[in-house]
């Protein structure tokens, strides 16, 4: 029983990868509800369940994408949770490999600045997804609530894959919180953490062939027995 369950989970996780070109067809509301209901099982500190989610449906997704692209072209990024400035080793190497995998899949050369800029702007087109979930939590709860929301995100991504949906988590959109706050009526007490593009991937799109690798768990986990 236990063996089957871990195999099932591993199959779902092996199936998932971030997708960055979506088809336009929306996901039925009931499928989205099912996904979020499943993810409600996520644990959180004192069971406070701090994730707050505004999910767009057409035509609001496109409206938001238009506003975000305008902001990204002209405005200064102002994330409410600071983005990392420096990636010391070994994170730097992972980050470079991640960029190489993505730009390699897209056929954008390392020195192609315009190509990279266009690829970055695609974040703000929400990768043409029919839906984006904008995720926030009450800023008064402090950083441990971010941990809770991260756990919940894992549940959402897993549930989405199990339902045949594709996703891309996106911190990029959190760089323009005023756009999100205004259009989605997100209260000032909420800190905007990230978005999740949701829909069905265009399987033919080169960007969607991007695959990342992982270290063996031994790099991240050490057993302490003495
Ligand atoms: C919190 C979070 C924020 C992310 N933000 C972005 C983003 O802004 N843009 C993007 O293209 N991918 C983003 N990603 C996707 C990661 O780049 C991706 O998960 C990572 O490279 C591993 O690849 P995989 O998801 O295909 O396994 C984000 C992922 C997470 C978990």
């Amino acid at each position: 029983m236990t063996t089957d369950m871990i195999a099932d989970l591993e199959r779902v996780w092996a199936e998932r990868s971030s997708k960055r070109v979506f088809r336009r067809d929306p996901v039925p509301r009931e499928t989205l509800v099912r996904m979020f209901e499943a993810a409600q099982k996520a644990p959180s500190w004192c069971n406070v369940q701090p994730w707050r989610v505004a999910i767009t449906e057409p035509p609001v997704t496109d409206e938001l994408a238009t506003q975000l692209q305008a902001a990204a072209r002209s405005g200064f990024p102002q994330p409410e949770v600071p983005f990392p400035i420096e990636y010391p080793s070994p994170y730097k190497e992972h980050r470079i490999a991640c960029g190489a995998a993505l730009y390699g899949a897209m056929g954008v050369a390392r020195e192609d600045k315009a190509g990279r800029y266009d690829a970055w702007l695609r974040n703000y087109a929400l990768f043409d997804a029919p839906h984006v979930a904008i995720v926030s939590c009450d800023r008064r709860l402090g950083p441990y609530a971010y941990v809770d929301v991260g756990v919940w995100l894992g549940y959402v991504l897993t549930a989405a894959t199990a339902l045949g949906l594709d996703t891309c988590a996106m911190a990029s959109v959190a760089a323009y919180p005023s756009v999100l706050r205004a259009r989605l009526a997100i209260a000032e007490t909420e800190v905007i953490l990230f978005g999740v593009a949701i829909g069905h991937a265009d399987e033919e799109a080169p960007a969607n062939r991007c695959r990342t690798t992982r270290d063996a768990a031994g790099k991240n986990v050490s057993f302490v027995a003495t």
Side-chain angles (χ1 to χ4, degrees):
M1 176 67 176
T2 312
T3 314
D4 288 350
M5 281 171 71
I6 187 66
D8 285 348
L9 258 183
E10 284 170 337
R11 222 174 9 258
V12 175
W13 286 336
E15 187 71 25
R16 191 208 61 80
S17 64
S18 295
K19 298 297 178 346
R20 295 180 179 86
V21 183
F22 287 82
R23 302 192 325 238
R24 306 291 291 154
D25 44 311
V27 177
R29 171 83 67 93
E30 56 272 24
T31 308
L32 294 171
V33 169
R34 178 121 198 248
M35 179 186 76
F36 286 120
E37 286 294 351
Q40 283 296 109
K41 295 281 186 295
S44 55
W45 190 332
C46 292
N47 200 24
V48 293
Q49 307 161 58
W51 46 90
R52 294 292 181 271
V53 187
I55 177 151
T56 64
E57 294 178 306
V60 177
T61 316
D62 280 354
E63 255 179 62
L64 194 62
T66 303
Q67 293 174 7
L68 281 168
Q69 287 172 92
R73 282 203 175 91
S74 62
F76 198 69
Q78 290 183 309
E80 297 180 309
V81 177
F83 287 177
I85 294 167
E86 221 183 302
Y87 291 81
S89 190
Y91 314 109
K92 187 176 172 186
E93 290 78 5
H94 286 314
R95 185 176 187 227
I96 290 170
C98 172
L102 179 57
Y103 293 121
M106 294 172 82
V108 176
R110 197 171 162 73
E111 60 282 2
D112 178 2
K113 280 205 171 134
R116 286 187 166 235
Y117 178 74
D118 288 346
W120 170 77
L121 264 186
R122 292 277 307 145
N123 277 269
Y124 300 99
L126 303 172
F127 302 126
D128 296 334
H131 308 279
V132 67
I134 300 298
V135 181
S136 61
C137 72
D138 195 313
R139 62 178 85 243
R140 293 168 296 188
L141 294 172
Y144 270 101
Y146 305 168
V147 177
D148 296 336
V149 180
V151 173
W152 170 87
L153 172 63
Y155 277 52
V156 167
L157 300 182
T158 305
T161 306
L163 286 163
L165 301 177
D166 294 296
T167 53
C168 188
M170 318 170 69
S172 48
V173 294
Y176 299 97
S178 56
V179 173
L180 304 173
R181 209 176 279 294
R183 184 61 186 87
L184 305 175
I186 299 170
E188 287 293 340
T189 45
E190 295 290 303
V191 56
I192 296 175
L193 297 174
F194 53 81
V196 188
I198 301 169
H200 294 286
D202 173 351
E203 298 296 349
E204 304 301 312
N208 288 341
R209 287 187 213 129
C210 170
R211 293 294 178 275
T212 52
T213 58
R214 301 293 188 273
D215 286 337
K219 285 248 181 170
N220 301 65
V221 181
S222 53
F223 291 89
V224 182
T226 54

